[in-house]
Amino acid sequence: DLMREFYETGAAEARRTGLYVVSEPTVGGRPAKRLDVLGTYGTGQTVVSAYGMIGGGLGNEISMNSGYATVGGGSQNRIATYATASTITGGSSNLVTGTYTSRADQSIIGGGISNTIQNAKFASISGGATNAISTDALYSAIAGGRLNRVGDLSEASAIGGGRGNLIGTNSSGGSIGGGHQNSVGDNATAVVIAGGYQNVVGENSGYSTIGGGIQNGISNDSARSTIAGGVGNHVASVAERSFIGG
């Protein structure tokens, strides 16, 4: 009740608050307190979880089972269920969400537009647009860019930026520095693509490297292979420990 009174008093005294509504929903079979704040521009802020905080902005939300979460500002940002102590600093239409079995605790979206962390603990997206970190890709990060994605189960993977880059499923420790439409296939651990355009490391080709260039490829089942750079170079399937200088 003291916490409810604290937030209710703050809402009542805020200069940009036109209307606030206090309700008492049931969460997980237990009583809870809900505070909905409607600003003067007609867009509400909602905090359902205990010790959640929204610093400002319009239409932001912290849902149930996401205690200690924070939305700093921006618009239409949402920390949904099972994302304890997660943060969205700002931006627009960003989402952190988890499930009971695959939580999104302590994940961070720094800003940008329409970025998503889904069911991944300790993950981060610094900014950009329409970037995504998927289920159980713990400790993974996307620094920025657009339309970049880290797939399911690809723990501790990173994309530095660029556009349309992909680290596939179960490809932990992968890294794409940037560039455009580079991809790491499924089940390819610790692959590095430094950058470039449409470079590809295939499935089951872990510990392989492409230094950059254009349309270079390491095919499936060619682990520990390297293409230093260049254009149109190719390592065939089942050709482990191959090397092309450029």
Side-chain angles (χ1 to χ4, degrees), residues 175-179 182 192-196 199 209-212:
S175 176
I176 298 176
N182 300 299
V192 175
I193 299 176
N199 297 303
T209 300
I210 297 178

Side-chain angles (χ1 to χ4, degrees), residues 198-213:
Q198 291 186 346
N199 297 303
V200 178
V201 175
E203 297 178 3
N204 303 306
S205 291
Y207 304 97
S208 294
T209 300
I210 297 178

Side-chain angles (χ1 to χ4, degrees), residues 76-123:
Q76 307 299 327
N77 297 305
R78 185 180 180 216
I79 297 178
T81 57
Y82 299 105
T84 298
S86 288
T87 300
I88 299 175
T89 305
S92 177
S93 301
N94 298 301
L95 171 66
V96 178
T97 184
T99 66
Y100 180 76
T101 56
S102 294
R103 300 181 65 97
D105 298 339
Q106 298 183 52
S107 291
I108 299 173
I109 296 178
I113 301 172
S114 299
N115 298 303
T116 301
I117 296 173
Q118 184 171 359
N119 310 334
K121 293 181 182 179
F122 316 114

Side-chain angles (χ1 to χ4, degrees), residues 38-156:
L38 184 65
T40 55
Y41 295 109
T43 304
Q45 311 269 51
T46 302
V47 178
V48 178
S49 292
Y51 305 105
M53 185 185 76
I54 296 177
L58 303 170
N60 300 303
E61 179 181 344
I62 298 173
S63 297
M64 66 181 68
N65 296 312
S66 293
Y68 304 94
T70 301
V71 177
S75 63
Q76 307 299 327
N77 297 305
R78 185 180 180 216
I79 297 178
T81 57
Y82 299 105
T84 298
S86 288
T87 300
I88 299 175
T89 305
S92 177
S93 301
N94 298 301
L95 171 66
V96 178
T97 184
T99 66
Y100 180 76
T101 56
S102 294
R103 300 181 65 97
D105 298 339
Q106 298 183 52
S107 291
I108 299 173
I109 296 178
I113 301 172
S114 299
N115 298 303
T116 301
I117 296 173
Q118 184 171 359
N119 310 334
K121 293 181 182 179
F122 316 114
S124 66
I125 298 175
S126 299
T130 326
N131 299 303
I133 296 176
S134 301
T135 300
D136 293 327
L138 284 65
Y139 302 102
S140 291
I142 297 174
R146 183 179 181 89
L147 296 168
N148 300 303
R149 183 167 70 88
V150 176
D152 296 351
L153 301 168
S154 291
E155 296 183 12

